[in-house]
Amino acid sequence: MIYKALTIAGSDSGGGAGIQADIKTFQELDVFGMSALTAVTAQNTKGVQNVFPMTVQAVKEQISSIGDDMGTDALKTGMLFNADIIKTVAEAVHNYGWEKLIIDPVMIAKGGAPLLQNEAVSAMIQYLLPLSYVITPNIPEAEALTGISISSEEDKRKAAEKLVKMGTTFAVIKGGHDQDTFEASDLLFDGESFTVYSSERLPTANTHGTGCTFSAAMTAQLAKGHSIHEAVSEAKKFIQAAIEDDLKIGSGHGPTNHWAYRRKRGMSLEN
Ligand SMILES: Nc1ncnc2c1ncn2[C@@H]1O[C@H](COP(=O)(O)OP(=O)(O)O)[C@@H](O)[C@H]1O
Ligand SMILES: Cc1ncc(COP(=O)(O)O)c(N)n1
């Protein structure tokens, strides 16, 4: 059986985040990757030098080229940049009846560059969030979407509950931006109960693209038919290995290692 996943996101010329991170991750997890570009960024480990958004027509036609012929088992969104692109994506998801939509609500790059216009947040809430299967905000994104200020586990739980009330099926609040210096903990709310996925917080600046990679790994696992709990658990292992075995590329926030998880798994199978 061949499983397919589509990413609708921005291109990162530096290869660590965006479309490039997504496709590499799909490939590593044995899923055929497809893409619709929303913007091209001139970007490296030091930051985003420029953003060139695609036209709405270009986004629409890339998605229909895939929808009309190849179809997909799951899809994820990353950088969507503006409200018109968000509306176009929502319309396509609705028209093709795609159910496994994973929203990574990318707003600001690690270096501080805006990847979503401020006024587009309400379009995401109104049009896209109600169509989603999972949403995977980091802490500042969860705050912007829910209006809840997050400084404790209790706040994270409240925000996750609110996201489900706002129309998604599952919410994962990622803890990369947490103040906790020992653990990186992601919280899943499945509509009934909470599960925390925790790992050692790794002391590295090479975390460019961690959110993209984590949500792409979840998307690949969901495309293959795994449950939400299995998908989050595997994605957490994937991103931990990718951060742990970093590549030391560039002089700023370097990329993670997308092949680390395969190598680690291969080694444990040999033993
Ligand atoms: N220093 C770190 N050590 C281990 N895991 C991390 C670290 N930073 C982020 N993560 C993990 O990477 C994933 C992405 O988290 P986060 O940084 O919050 O997202 P984003 O890249 O969207 O800002 C999460 O699973 C988080 O727990
Ligand atoms: C095209 C694109 N998409 C997403 C991100 C977010 O990644 P990060 O938050 O790790 O900088 C990015 N920097 N560039």
Side-chain angles (χ1 to χ4, degrees):
M1 184 80 185
I2 305 298
Y3 297 100
K4 293 165 284 182
L6 164 65
T7 169
I8 304 175
S11 163
D12 168 9
S13 52
I19 290 275
Q20 287 79 359
D22 294 343
I23 299 271
K24 290 175 193 181
T25 304
F26 293 161
Q27 180 79 12
E28 288 295 325
L29 292 169
D30 301 324
V31 169
F32 181 78
M34 301 167 289
S35 61
L37 261 72
T38 56
V40 171
T41 69
Q43 188 173 176
N44 56 26
T45 67
K46 294 196 275 187
V48 178
Q49 286 78 46
N50 216 336
V51 174
F52 305 91
M54 304 294 287
T55 61
V56 162
Q57 191 66 15
V59 176
K60 192 174 174 168
E61 291 196 23
Q62 291 174 84
I63 302 173
S64 47
S65 291
I66 293 157
D68 291 348
D69 176 37
M70 305 163 83
T72 192
D73 297 298
L75 75 157
K76 67 157 284 193
T77 61
M79 170 186 183
L80 293 174
F81 195 63
N82 64 36
D84 287 341
I85 293 180
I86 290 175
K87 284 185 211 163
T88 302
V89 171
E91 207 174 284
V93 170
H94 173 77
N95 289 344
Y96 287 108
W98 286 328
E99 289 178 359
K100 286 189 191 158
L101 166 66
I102 292 82
I103 303 179
D104 182 19
V106 171
M107 293 181 190
I108 297 173
K110 293 255 155 60
L115 301 177
L116 183 72
Q117 294 174 346
N118 282 338
E119 61 274 18
V121 175
S122 55
M124 183 176 281
I125 293 170
Q126 189 179 346
Y127 300 105
L128 205 56
L129 196 145
L131 300 176
S132 70
Y133 189 64
V134 197
I135 190 159
T136 63
N138 61 26
I139 289 174
E141 290 158 355
E143 290 180 327
L145 289 166
T146 62
I148 295 171
S149 132
I150 301 176
S151 55
S152 66
E153 274 307 302
E154 181 56 27
D155 296 336
K156 274 200 209 170
R157 285 196 287 268
K158 276 191 199 140
E161 276 175 340
K162 182 149 180 194
L163 288 166
V164 169
K165 279 206 190 93
M166 289 162 77
T168 189
T169 307
F170 304 114
V172 178
I173 315 255
K174 297 172 297 186
H177 297 244
D178 235 335
Q179 299 308 313
D180 188 325
T181 45
F182 298 107
E183 291 197 322
S185 300
D186 304 334
L187 175 76
L188 165 67
F189 180 55
D190 65 9
E192 285 181 0
S193 58
F194 298 97
T195 313
V196 176
Y197 296 86
S198 231
S199 64
E200 181 196 348
R201 179 178 294 277
L202 300 160
T204 173
N206 298 334
T207 54
H208 174 64
T210 50
C212 308
T213 302
F214 173 78
S215 58
M218 273 181 59
T219 306
Q221 296 308 97
L222 292 170
K224 289 187 273 187
H226 292 286
S227 72
I228 185 69
H229 288 89
E230 287 165 344
V232 179
S233 166
E234 200 74 1
K236 183 71 178 147
K237 288 180 199 154
F238 190 100
I239 193 62
Q240 188 74 9
I243 301 172
E244 201 163 22
D245 203 1
D246 64 355
L247 299 164
K248 299 175 180 59
I249 292 175
S251 56
H253 285 287
T256 70
N257 180 345
H258 292 97
W259 64 79
Y261 182 66
R262 165 168 48 91
R263 285 216 322 208
K264 200 170 171 180
R265 219 175 22 177
M267 280 183 229
S268 64
L269 288 177
E270 276 166 26
N271 294 329

